[in-house]
Amino acid sequence: MIYLLSHTITDSARRFPDRAAFRFGKVSLTYREMEQRMNQLAGVLHTLNIKKGDRIGIYLNRSIETAIAIFGILQAGGVYVPIDPKAPITRSQFLIEDCEIEILITQPVQGKKVSQIIKDKNNIRTVIGLPETEGVKTISWESVFAASAAFDLPFRILEKDLAYIIYTSGSTGQPKGIMHTHYSGLSYARLTAELYQITEQDRIGNHAPIHFDISTLGYFTSPLVGACTVIASDAVTVFPATLGKLIAEEALTIWYSVPLALIQILQNGVLADQALPHLRWVLYAGEPFPPKYLRTLMQQWSATRFSNVYGPTETNACTYYHLPEIPITDDPIPIGQVWKNTDYLILDEEGKEAAPGMTGELLICSATQMLGYWRNPALTEKSLHSVLAATGQASAFYKTGDLVKEEDGILHFLGRKDFQVKIRGHRVELGAIEACLVAHASVREAAVYTVRIAEESLKIVAAVILAADSEESVNNLLYFLKEKLPLYAVPEEIKIVKDFPRTSSGKIKRGALVAAL
Amino acid sequence: MLEQRIINYILEELHGGQSDLKILPEDDLLGSGLVESMGMMRLIQFIEDDNGIKVSPQDMTIENFMTVAAMVDYIGRSKPNG
């Protein structure tokens, strides 16, 4: 019976021993090999006397080792905590301290940064994946792969036990650790496997780094059904031509990423003549996909189906919308409907259920829901809304902070609750202004924010990246907006910029953007 | 020499002249985080200006830009009569 995430590997190793489980560049591991390496790493972790639920950091770029690290840790009864090697050293140190991480798994290429991390903070007692390093015990990957693959877990793990913690930037400074269990991870795997009919025949392109939950399709769903996950390297994100080639040459059947990765391929025109007969599904999440780009992509990949996946990390994912046809208008794409084993509420400002068709905050109660925030019961409680059933049993709904409205059973995303501002008494959705700007042919990307000009007064400012070779004037853009938006929602200023500060998953860092302009 | 000019650009322009960094021609620039995605775009711009070449989107691949050595090799192949 599969009730732990690591069981997916053991089970597929029994059913499909010689099928490829994970691929990265020229390296490929079958399920049999994957099971062996997972057990070798788990055994090594137990020589370090780890206890049930110990947090172990993964400090790796996308690579075959990320898969081994995830499953080795889970198999050993530990909890994996992804630490982004691209993040500032101080943030990595914060995570290590906050989660009390004593063992770090990495690669020689990160040697310099790991030395910096452990220089000031000595929480870390062992580093796996480095040659000898000053001031800390190290175990090389070579010796992990020379270790015995036989080991017995000295304690029992249950499906409700913790499996991983993903940190996200809280809107107020400190990153917060989102705790997920084996159950929430497997629930996600089962739901997506059914929804997208994923089988051992599939080849899933994994573009997301592991600190971003889009990665769980490749790491959880794929081994559940015995499919192959092709891990795209970090460099693929930088070079769109390489990404297009990867989808074609690896005969990927499913692609899942943030829209930006796909938009980049389009803008570089590197897909023009590429036929992708294998690609069944394109899934995207993380940010809205501007319809003008989606339209072009769907025309080029006419045999592929597209699905908009929505969900905050606290629920992994919870809604989906399969695009029924190529979008004709520039209206934002709906987030669709909640998937199975998931309940939802739409609450108005007073906490009452919003009337049909009216805007309200989306609340989710699902099998894929987090256990809570790491060592922050106050924040966990604040994020939940309790609903008492007639049986006396309480259900905790997670408050997403996202505004939606429901029309004919389809949910429409309207923006973040805290992204809604009041301008001269009018309620304005900054996201709607962005969507409007991006609909303009000369605009590649837009970010809209507010600047306080007096105690009670805000002004709207838009930062815009123009399409390549465009010399569109600010006045023309303002004129364009004035035709589409009420006057109070038209930005008072538009700044043309070359790029936005971004997170490593490609999302716009809004705080940094406002500070920079 | 070309190789050193590229290394200097990374050190001076992308790292603001941080002195304790050392870059070898074989270092995996993106993998190690020595160069970020925005930095890579600036670096490619520099290579274009410095060598009078234009890097086409089709040529922007890992193979051509993973290391300083690969870049030098690519530039050699791209220069007219080179």
Side-chain angles (χ1 to χ4, degrees):
Chain A
M1 183 190 174
I2 296 175
Y3 62 91
L4 300 179
L5 285 163
S6 48
H7 291 163
T8 60
I9 298 291
T10 334
D11 185 68
S12 284
R14 186 178 50 79
R15 293 194 294 153
F16 315 108
D18 299 316
R19 277 192 166 275
F22 290 95
R23 283 175 58 76
F24 177 77
K26 294 182 184 73
V27 195
S28 191
L29 287 179
T30 64
Y31 275 100
R32 191 204 312 269
E33 291 165 330
M34 188 59 210
E35 182 186 32
Q36 185 189 351
R37 304 213 160 178
M38 160 177 99
N39 284 329
Q40 285 172 316
L41 178 58
V44 167
L45 288 171
H46 273 280
T47 63
L48 301 169
N49 294 320
I50 72 158
K51 298 181 299 300
K52 177 172 167 169
D54 272 359
R55 280 78 52 212
I56 294 163
I58 305 183
Y59 195 74
L60 288 170
N61 283 333
R62 281 160 278 197
S63 58
I64 206 90
E65 283 82 2
T66 48
I68 300 167
I70 286 176
F71 287 103
I73 293 168
L74 294 172
Q75 177 76 336
V79 174
Y80 82 83
V81 184
I83 306 173
D84 178 11
K86 291 189 167 59
I89 299 289
T90 48
R91 184 186 160 102
S92 305
Q93 288 173 331
F94 173 85
L95 262 61
I96 287 166
E97 204 167 299
D98 192 52
C99 250
E100 295 171 345
I101 291 170
E102 295 184 354
I103 302 170
L104 199 61
I105 300 182
T106 187
Q107 273 168 322
V109 78
Q110 306 297 351
K112 283 178 198 164
K113 284 189 185 167
V114 172
S115 296
Q116 276 178 282
I117 288 174
I118 56 180
K119 199 164 60 187
D120 323 317
K121 294 268 178 338
N122 277 319
N123 237 6
I124 301 287
R125 55 181 170 99
T126 310
V127 179
I128 295 176
L130 282 192
E132 275 186 39
T133 304
E134 216 181 284
V136 69
K137 176 184 160 78
T138 56
I139 299 170
S140 69
W141 280 109
E142 288 75 21
S143 47
V144 171
F145 300 144
S148 161
F151 92 106
D152 282 317
L153 198 58
F155 44 74
R156 301 186 78 84
I157 323 168
L158 312 181
E159 66 174 0
K160 66 180 178 65
D161 287 330
L162 216 51
Y164 66 100
I165 301 176
I166 288 187
Y167 275 81
T168 61
S169 309
S171 45
T172 50
Q174 298 288 34
K176 50 190 181 186
I178 297 166
M179 300 189 287
H180 275 282
T181 61
H182 287 271
Y183 173 71
S184 67
L186 276 174
S187 296
Y188 169 84
R190 292 191 173 113
L191 284 161
T192 44
E194 187 192 87
L195 188 56
Y196 298 103
Q197 298 287 299
I198 305 174
T199 70
E200 78 276 7
Q201 302 296 329
D202 277 302
R203 297 170 68 80
I204 299 174
N206 191 86
H207 172 268
I210 59 169
H211 60 271
F212 193 19
D213 59 4
I214 283 185
S215 65
T216 55
L217 188 83
Y219 289 98
F220 300 167
T221 313
S222 182
L224 177 71
V225 298
C228 174
T229 291
V230 178
I231 302 167
S233 83
D234 289 339
V236 158
T237 322
V238 186
F239 302 117
T242 309
L243 179 51
K245 226 170 87 182
L246 179 91
I247 299 178
E249 287 178 2
E250 287 283 351
L252 297 182
T253 59
I254 299 174
W255 177 260
Y256 187 15
S257 73
V258 288
L260 183 70
L262 295 163
I263 294 170
Q264 278 178 335
I265 307 187
L266 270 183
Q267 279 165 348
N268 284 279
V270 282
L271 273 184
D273 310 314
Q274 227 155 15
L276 300 166
H278 305 282
L279 194 62
R280 296 196 297 123
W281 278 111
V282 166
L283 280 54
Y284 69 87
E287 283 186 317
F289 207 136
K292 70 171 180 189
Y293 296 128
L294 197 52
R295 196 175 301 138
T296 315
L297 199 63
M298 287 178 76
Q299 277 158 358
Q300 284 196 12
W301 296 351
S302 55
T304 305
R305 297 193 67 191
F306 286 70
S307 189
N308 181 13
V309 185
Y310 158 88
T313 307
E314 284 83 348
T315 67
N316 196 331
C318 53
T319 79
Y320 66 96
Y321 181 78
H322 301 336
L323 278 96
E325 59 205 2
I326 297 176
I328 305 160
T329 69
D330 287 317
D331 296 338
I333 310 299
I335 56 171
Q337 58 199 101
V338 295
W339 56 26
K340 290 181 182 172
N341 216 354
T342 299
D343 197 2
Y344 69 105
L345 290 170
I346 301 172
L347 297 186
D348 65 17
E349 281 180 336
E350 282 150 24
K352 297 200 185 81
E353 279 203 52
M358 297 307 286
T359 301
E361 182 183 1
L362 180 66
L363 284 81
I364 293 286
C365 182
S366 74
T368 55
Q369 200 167 328
M370 67 166 175
L371 195 62
Y373 296 107
W374 170 253
R375 296 226 170 133
N376 202 336
L379 186 63
T380 303
E381 204 189 314
K382 214 175 119 190
S383 75
L384 298 173
H385 170 82
S386 185
V387 176
L388 212 56
T391 55
Q393 193 190 13
S395 294
F397 281 72
Y398 171 70
K399 297 186 236 175
T400 64
D402 288 335
L403 296 173
V404 298
K405 68 175 178 191
E406 186 170 0
E407 280 170 355
D408 304 324
I410 296 293
L411 295 167
H412 295 262
F413 174 79
L414 302 171
R416 293 286 303 160
K417 203 174 157 188
D418 53 17
F419 210 46
Q420 191 182 51
V421 294
K422 264 199 169 167
I423 303 288
R424 299 189 284 280
H426 300 281
R427 199 171 292 283
V428 176
E429 287 298 338
L430 299 180
I433 306 173
E434 286 177 6
C436 204
L437 268 168
V438 176
H440 190 285
S442 302
V443 176
R444 200 172 118 178
E445 275 187 90
V448 175
Y449 56 95
T450 56
V451 176
R452 190 163 292 281
I453 42 176
E455 189 155 345
E456 283 299 309
S457 180
L458 295 171
K459 75 167 180 175
I460 304 174
V461 182
V464 164
I465 303 174
L466 291 178
D469 305 325
S470 165
E471 286 173 8
E472 195 62 74
S473 74
V474 166
N475 277 341
N476 281 346
L477 292 178
L478 284 171
Y479 187 74
F480 176 78
L481 289 180
K482 278 176 189 158
E483 287 196 323
K484 308 207 164 222
L485 294 170
L487 205 56
Y488 58 81
V490 175
E492 287 185 37
E493 203 180 332
I494 296 183
K495 299 183 177 192
I496 308 287
V497 297
K498 283 212 152 38
D499 201 0
F500 298 140
R502 293 177 200 279
T503 67
S504 56
S505 48
K507 287 194 191 184
I508 300 168
K509 280 192 194 169
R510 291 178 183 276
L513 175 73
V514 176
L517 293 175
Chain B
M1 155 195 175
L2 182 54
E3 186 178 284
Q4 199 53 49
R5 282 209 304 278
I6 297 174
I7 291 177
N8 285 347
Y9 182 83
I10 298 172
L11 290 176
E12 298 301 322
E13 299 297 325
L14 303 185
H15 286 275
Q18 220 178 305
S19 59
D20 59 338
L21 267 176
K22 204 166 152 40
I23 296 175
L24 299 173
E26 302 76 33
D27 280 348
D28 176 355
L29 297 174
L30 288 162
S32 61
L34 283 164
V35 177
E36 304 289 342
S37 52
M38 273 302 289
M40 185 56 83
M41 292 304 131
R42 287 173 59 195
L43 184 57
I44 291 175
Q45 181 75 53
F46 166 76
I47 287 173
E48 289 183 339
D49 298 346
D50 189 45
N51 297 281
I53 58 170
K54 182 90 190 102
V55 181
S56 74
Q58 280 75 11
D59 283 350
M60 287 190 200
T61 60
I62 309 180
E63 292 78 16
N64 291 338
F65 291 94
M66 190 162 120
T67 64
V68 174
M71 291 177 196
V72 171
D73 188 52
Y74 169 75
I75 295 163
R77 280 181 282 123
S78 306
K79 275 191 173 172
N81 316 318

